Amino acid sequence: MQPSAGSATPRPAHPAPHPHPARWQSRPVHWLSTAVALAAVLGGTALLQPAAATAEQTAAAARPPADAPPAAGPDPATADYPLDCGSRKVGVAVVREGSSDFDGDGRVETAAVVRCDAGVGTPPSGLYVLAHPADGGKEPRIVETLLDPQESISVTEFAVSGRTITATLVGYSSEDVPRCCPDQERRVKWEWRDGKFVLTALPVAGSV
């Protein structure tokens, strides 16, 4: 799997790219439009295979190389995540993970939910898809960002099955809601289909 664009031991976070301290609530979330907005952002993402790959290229990628790839997905605890936690003293924690061969190329990937290991409040989550290192590298490669922490959304329930990732997202209806206590919730799924992850909001319980 190639980029188109992993509880574990906390790893040091990237230093802040700007002088302002990190804030869990980077901006208010308009909850009813969150799934739609994410879908728009993710609509063009792709993993290994470009959407326009030829049948020959697709078949070749599906064949494992002579030296068979690892049967397990990459270890998310060893990846380097692009989280801004405001300080080098605040690490990044992997809170949920699951592995599957999403794009059917014979190599197993890992989906990982991570957050700043701040110890207080409800830090937002990042959801990333990892592939094994390329060219003898040691760290897994981030090949997809399915949920950016800047969306101020946290992931609670999380599962991987086949080519589908399901999750429960929780967030805040306004800046006035305490950051400890999300007041909005929605279940969603990302399904690998036609060369990309497709995001869908799942039906609300009790809806018709």
Side-chain angles (χ1 to χ4, degrees):
M1 180 178 294
Q2 301 293 335
S4 59
S7 160
T9 303
R11 290 173 52 82
H14 282 286
H18 50 74
H20 303 292
R23 298 174 58 205
W24 302 146
Q25 59 276 25
S26 59
R27 61 178 180 270
V29 175
H30 301 286
W31 191 257
L32 294 179
S33 62
T34 295
V36 175
L38 283 174
V41 171
L42 297 171
T45 59
L47 294 181
L48 173 65
Q49 302 292 343
T54 65
E56 181 179 352
Q57 290 173 325
T58 301
R63 292 193 297 269
D67 51 340
D75 181 0
T78 63
D80 190 16
Y81 300 98
L83 267 70
D84 174 10
C85 295
S87 169
R88 290 182 178 273
K89 295 181 180 180
V90 179
V92 174
V94 178
V95 294
R96 290 172 179 82
E97 61 182 271
S99 297
S100 183
D101 179 7
F102 293 110
D103 59 358
D105 69 342
R107 295 174 173 83
V108 179
E109 294 84 39
T110 296
V113 179
V114 304
R115 63 172 176 77
C116 293
D117 193 24
V120 295
T122 307
S125 301
L127 175 53
Y128 303 95
V129 178
L130 310 174
H132 284 283
D135 302 325
K138 295 182 178 180
E139 292 185 349
R141 298 171 293 130
I142 296 177
V143 292
E144 289 295 340
T145 299
L146 299 183
L147 180 64
D148 191 311
Q150 291 187 3
E151 294 294 336
S152 298
I153 294 173
S154 297
V155 176
T156 55
E157 298 175 1
F158 171 83
V160 171
S161 178
R163 297 190 175 192
T164 301
I165 301 169
T166 57
T168 297
L169 308 180
V170 297
Y172 308 90
S173 58
S174 74
E175 289 279 5
D176 297 329
V177 179
R179 298 299 100 174
C180 66
C181 313
D183 63 342
Q184 301 291 326
E185 177 179 295
R186 189 67 188 264
R187 283 187 55 76
V188 300
K189 71 175 182 179
W190 287 268
E191 182 180 7
W192 180 257
R193 189 167 69 237
D194 297 329
K196 62 185 178 182
F197 276 110
V198 177
L199 174 63
T200 304
L202 298 177
V204 177
S207 63
V208 178

